[in-house]
Every structure is written in structure tokens, then in C-alpha cells.
Amino acid sequence: GGVIAFSLKGIHAHDVAQILDGSGVAIRAGHHCAQPLHTKFNLPATSRASMYLYNTFDEVDRLITGIQKVKDIFG
């Protein structure tokens, strides 16, 4: 599948999702039915991006740019 779960150290997944949403990029944030795994790795939540054949290179570039923006905001 084209699902990528990720976390940014020190930044909550819901903050990541909200900032990306403001840039026109939709992701999911939360436990994703994997709370035991989150507990094992001491993660409050993760971000999850989904991609498939219908996504364009521009959309992937906007995701990457948005993640960099999140990192810049949170230093």
C-alpha cells in the first residue's frame, strides 16, 4: 500500500496535520488503530500520508514542502 506513517520528533501529529491542512495537504493524525504499537514506541500519535496512482508529483512535493514548513515553525 501507499501509506506512510511518520512522526516528527517533539511535534504532535495533530499539529503536523493542522499546519499541512493550511497548506492544502490532507493527512491523518492519531492512533490509526495501532495504539499498542504507539504505546510500545512511546508515541502519543503519528501522522499518516496516503498516496496512490492518482496522486501527482506536485502533490508529493507539496507534502515534502509542508513537512519542512512544520519543522521550521517548531524549530
Side-chain angles (χ1 to χ4, degrees):
V3 177
I4 302 165
F6 62 95
S7 62
L8 300 175
K9 188 174 184 175
I11 307 171
H12 197 282
H14 291 120
D15 293 327
V16 174
Q18 186 165 358
I19 293 169
L20 288 175
D21 182 59
S23 298
V25 178
I27 65 166
R28 293 191 180 261
H31 293 127
H32 319 296
C33 299
Q35 192 165 6
L37 187 62
H38 286 100
T39 300
K40 177 180 172 73
F41 291 111
N42 197 30
L43 295 168
T46 55
S47 304
R48 187 180 76 193
S50 301
M51 291 176 248
Y52 198 61
L53 298 173
Y54 47 76
N55 289 104
T56 65
F57 287 112
D58 179 60
E59 291 170 328
V60 176
D61 289 342
R62 285 192 318 180
L63 172 63
I64 293 166
T65 301
I67 291 171
Q68 187 59 53
K69 179 180 178 181
V70 171
K71 292 169 80 175
D72 290 344
I73 289 171
F74 284 90

